[in-house]
């Protein structure tokens, strides 16, 4: 999740022991019986969600095969394997003042960073977050980009303190744009379509960098975009700045994606550009992967009712947006077929996405004997006023089943990327320290998910290779990563390195 898993919810106090009348006692006895009746559904779920090693090997192998297909020809497989056109990664020698704009949802963020080269590194950063009004999200291209440019201009006007532009330089900005684009160079990209609730008219088919540059010009803001990046690419660049062993970046939040550093000679579809030998970042768009995933009827029903049926199956199986919804669907079935919560069916349990991944996380952290936190969430979120401890245990087990599958499949995906890199480099990846940078609230805040992910990686890679793999959390790397890529791809880059 882009917002931290668990962060929207304070931990509810453990439920107080209440005196129950005869009716309450009968309800709880029924609930215990119903918990036992729900066991066959839980057993089936465990079976269908199982991720034994042979299945993980298939997923990792299919991920690697899908990567190769996408690198060979556009549209050849499920993975788009989009070139980032980033050929210059930050090295630490960058100097000067650079800006970043991160647009990926109902808020956007502006950031500035003062870089001091090898000795000073990041001298200082400042950022502001701006909420985008609904009428702007449903307005015209000019209205959206003028709104952004105006807020950016206000932010630039507050420049001071440790931030200073070098004499004779024009301000440059890295633009993190987390919507589907067909990128054509490091500083240009055509919008394919808006997502995430945006319905801005007149932008599809246009270069979003040109739209932003024009809006900044209308504001009288002397600034230009020097790098257009996806948020995952930004996260990799930001992490690589501090640790040159970072080779892969994965975002596990509301949605999910992965990118990695690829050798240009291993990208057949770019050979016509005559790039020679070197490295670039490839955005896998791995959310679209689906080969061999262990899906249940609950997954298929959720997918069929989604706004994009048949698409983003990996994302729907492993990311924070969907884990809670899958669990809700399982619980609704149990409530219907086994009276899990007594004879009354909670109407709120029929509401899609009423149960969210932060709720699962809070329930799985409940170690109390009576599972009071689970009881509180059932009451406050789903409207179940009475439940037995046995029923609450079933709910925790359902949650664990879905979260375990998601974490282990994410781990298999990462292992597939690493194995593909290892095979193509003829042993230059797994035999040395290699860092996987992780970002996103799901990874950061859900310890069980994190453990399952690393566990699957270790099973697939083996103890000897896993010894060299470092899985590292890089919080909020995409924003500063965009500013660093603006610096690395600046028209003043030669002057920076000689400074």
């Amino acid at each position: 999740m882009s917002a931290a898993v668990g962060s929207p919810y304070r931990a509810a106090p453990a439920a107080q022991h209440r005196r129950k009348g005869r009716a309450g006692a009968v309800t709880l006895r029924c609930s215990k019986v119903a918990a036992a009746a729900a066991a066959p559904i839980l057993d089936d779920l465990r079976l269908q969600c199982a991720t034994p090693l042979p299945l993980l090997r298939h997923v990792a192998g299919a991920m690697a095969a899908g990567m190769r297909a996408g690198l060979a020809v556009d549209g050849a497989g499920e993975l788009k394997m989009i070139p980032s056109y980033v050929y210059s990664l930050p090295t630490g020698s960058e100097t000067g003042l650079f800006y970043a704009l991160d647009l990926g949802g109902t808020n956007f963020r502006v950031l500035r960073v003062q870089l001091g080269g090898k000795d000073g590194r990041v001298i200082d950063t400042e950022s502001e977050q701006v909420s985008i009004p609904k009428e702007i999200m449903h307005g015209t291209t000019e209205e959206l980009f003028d709104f952004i440019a105006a807020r950016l201009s206000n932010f630039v006007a507050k420049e001071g303190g440790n931030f200073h532009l070098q004499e004779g330089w024009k301000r440059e900005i890295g633009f993190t744009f987390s919507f589907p684009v067909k990128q054509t160079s490091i500083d240009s990209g055509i919008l394919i379509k808006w997502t995430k609730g945006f319905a801005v008219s007149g932008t599809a088919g246009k270069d979003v960098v040109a739209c932003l540059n024009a809006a900044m010009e209308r504001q009288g803001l002397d600034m230009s975009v020097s790098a257009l990046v996806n948020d995952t690419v930004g996260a990799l660049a930001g992490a690589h700045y501090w640790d040159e062993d970072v080779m892969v970046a994965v975002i596990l939040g509301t949605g999910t994606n992965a990118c990695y550093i690829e050798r240009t000679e291993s990208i057949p579809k770019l050979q016509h550009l005559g790039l020679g030998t070197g490295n670039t970042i490839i955005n896998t768009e791995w959310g679209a992967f689906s080969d061999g995933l262990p899906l249940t009827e609950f997954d298929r029903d959720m997918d069929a009712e989604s706004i994009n049926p048949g698409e983003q199956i990996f994302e729907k199986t492993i990311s924070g947006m969907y884990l809670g919804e899958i669990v809700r669907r399982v619980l609704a079935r149990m409530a219907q077929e086994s009276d899990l919560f007594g004879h009354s069916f909670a109407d709120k349990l029929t509401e899609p996405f009423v149960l969210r991944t932060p709720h699962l996380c809070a329930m799985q952290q409940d170690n109390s004997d009576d599972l009071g936190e689970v009881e509180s969430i059932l009451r406050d979120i789903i409207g179940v006023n009475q439940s037995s401890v046995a029923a609450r245990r079933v709910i925790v087990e359902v949650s664990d089943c879905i979260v375990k599958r998601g974490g282990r499949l994410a781990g298999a995906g990462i292992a597939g990327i690493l194995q593909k890199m290892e095979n193509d480099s003829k042993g230059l990846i797994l035999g040395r320290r290699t860092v996987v940078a992780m970002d996103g609230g799901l990874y950061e805040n859900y310890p069980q998910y994190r453990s399952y992910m690393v566990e699957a990686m270790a099973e697939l890679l083996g103890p000897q290779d896993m010894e060299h793999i470092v899985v590292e959390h890089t919080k909020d790397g995409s924003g500063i990563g965009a500013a660093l890529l603006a610096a690395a791809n600046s028209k003043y880059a030669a002057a920076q390195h000689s400074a």
Side-chain angles (χ1 to χ4, degrees):
M1 289 174 146
S2 50
V5 172
S7 62
Y9 308 98
R10 64 179 177 80
Q16 301 278 322
H17 287 290
R18 290 178 293 278
R19 197 180 302 165
K20 298 179 178 68
R22 183 177 174 79
V26 169
T27 301
L28 289 183
R29 276 200 300 275
C30 290
S31 185
K32 287 177 186 174
V33 172
I41 299 173
L42 181 57
D43 290 342
D44 281 348
L45 187 72
R46 284 198 192 102
L47 194 63
Q48 292 173 43
C49 289
T51 50
L53 187 54
L55 184 141
L56 293 179
R57 282 198 185 111
H58 174 86
V59 169
M63 182 70 73
M67 290 168 68
R68 288 196 180 90
L71 289 172
V73 183
D74 279 335
E78 292 180 319
L79 303 182
K80 290 194 174 95
M81 303 302 286
I82 301 169
S84 65
Y85 295 91
V86 170
Y87 304 116
S88 301
L89 278 164
T91 61
S93 60
E94 294 80 12
T95 59
L97 171 64
F98 293 90
Y99 280 78
L101 165 65
D102 190 346
L103 176 63
T106 53
N107 300 309
F108 69 86
R109 200 159 59 98
V110 288
L111 175 145
R112 61 178 145 245
V113 57
Q114 189 75 39
L115 301 175
K118 290 284 188 189
D119 296 328
R121 288 282 175 161
V122 175
I123 294 171
D124 205 355
T125 62
E126 278 182 346
S127 66
E128 281 183 11
Q129 186 160 291
V130 180
S131 182
I132 304 173
K134 196 159 190 179
E135 61 269 21
I136 297 290
M137 291 173 64
H138 294 176
T140 66
T141 300
E142 289 73 20
E143 286 168 344
L144 173 64
F145 284 97
D146 283 349
F147 178 81
I148 292 169
R151 298 307 183 278
L152 179 56
S153 182
N154 292 343
F155 182 64
V156 171
K158 300 173 195 169
E159 200 178 274
N162 289 328
F163 302 95
H164 53 273
L165 189 67
Q166 288 182 238
E167 194 174 340
W169 285 29
K170 179 178 178 176
R171 288 179 184 84
E172 292 178 296
I173 188 166
F175 186 10
T176 302
F177 188 75
S178 303
F179 297 91
V181 293
K182 180 169 177 52
Q183 195 150 353
T184 49
S185 70
I186 186 62
D187 59 358
S188 62
I190 307 301
L191 177 72
I192 297 168
K193 64 177 178 179
W194 288 108
T195 56
K196 307 178 188 178
F198 280 74
V200 178
S201 61
T203 325
K206 287 186 179 175
D207 180 353
V208 293
V209 170
C211 292
L212 179 58
N213 280 335
M216 290 191 294
E217 197 173 321
R218 287 193 293 272
Q219 288 290 328
L221 181 56
D222 191 24
M223 180 183 280
S224 62
V225 176
S226 59
L228 173 69
V229 299
N230 165 278
D231 56 352
T232 321
V233 172
L236 194 155
H240 191 271
Y241 177 78
W242 296 105
D243 188 339
E244 291 186 358
D245 290 338
V246 172
M247 301 297 286
V248 180
V250 178
I251 291 182
L252 282 165
T254 304
T256 182
N257 196 9
C259 69
Y260 71 105
I261 297 175
E262 180 62 276
R263 299 176 311 144
T264 51
E265 58 267 38
S266 296
I267 312 172
K269 67 183 180 183
L270 293 188
Q271 291 311 303
H272 65 283
L273 298 178
L275 297 172
T277 58
N279 293 323
T280 189
I281 301 176
I282 293 290
N283 166 20
T284 66
E285 290 292 337
W286 80 352
F289 176 78
S290 70
D291 191 340
L293 301 181
L295 302 177
T296 69
E297 61 185 291
F298 306 104
D299 299 293
R300 294 188 185 93
D301 289 346
M302 181 184 72
D303 174 52
E305 294 169 26
S306 70
I307 59 171
N308 55 346
E311 298 176 12
Q312 299 297 105
I313 303 301
F314 197 49
E315 182 166 79
K316 288 171 182 171
T317 313
I318 72 168
S319 79
M321 174 98 180
Y322 301 99
L323 299 178
E325 172 61 6
I326 301 166
V327 170
R328 180 198 69 81
R329 287 171 177 270
V330 178
L331 298 184
R333 171 69 61 79
M334 287 179 165
Q336 285 171 330
E337 296 189 3
S338 70
D339 289 338
L340 181 64
F341 305 123
H343 294 302
S344 61
F345 182 85
D347 289 340
K348 287 178 80 174
L349 200 51
T350 63
E351 293 178 23
F353 295 94
V354 68
L355 190 66
R356 296 175 53 212
T357 302
H359 301 132
L360 307 189
C361 182
M363 289 191 291
Q364 281 207 268
Q365 308 323 308
D366 186 355
N367 296 317
S368 64
D369 291 340
D370 66 349
L371 295 175
E373 180 69 13
V374 178
E375 182 182 28
S376 296
I377 289 170
L378 286 174
R379 182 183 64 244
D380 299 341
I381 305 304
I382 299 176
V384 174
N385 291 319
Q386 289 188 322
S387 59
S388 68
V389 174
R392 291 172 219 157
R393 286 200 185 102
V394 168
I395 290 156
V396 173
E397 288 187 54
V398 170
S399 300
D400 186 66
C401 193
I402 299 303
V403 168
K404 182 175 185 177
R405 179 187 64 169
R408 284 174 64 81
L409 288 175
I414 296 169
I417 292 173
L418 291 169
Q419 287 170 339
K420 188 265 176 204
M421 296 171 73
E422 169 77 356
N423 292 339
D424 288 3
S425 68
K426 296 180 173 56
L428 297 179
I429 296 295
L430 297 179
R432 65 175 185 84
R433 182 177 184 270
T434 298
V435 179
V436 179
M438 305 294 305
D439 200 0
L442 175 60
Y443 174 82
E444 181 184 358
N445 294 293
Y446 209 141
Q448 285 89 346
Y449 187 101
R450 205 163 51 231
S451 296
Y452 288 138
M453 186 195 86
V454 174
E455 172 189 88
M457 289 174 63
E459 286 177 31
L460 283 163
L461 298 174
Q464 189 173 340
D465 287 340
M466 193 64 189
E467 194 176 303
H468 302 291
I469 303 300
V470 179
V471 181
E472 201 165 75
H473 180 227
T474 171
K475 187 172 174 61
D476 196 29
S478 63
I480 197 165
L484 292 167
L485 284 170
N489 292 277
S490 166
K491 60 185 176 184
Y492 308 110
Q496 292 180 57
H497 294 305
S498 60

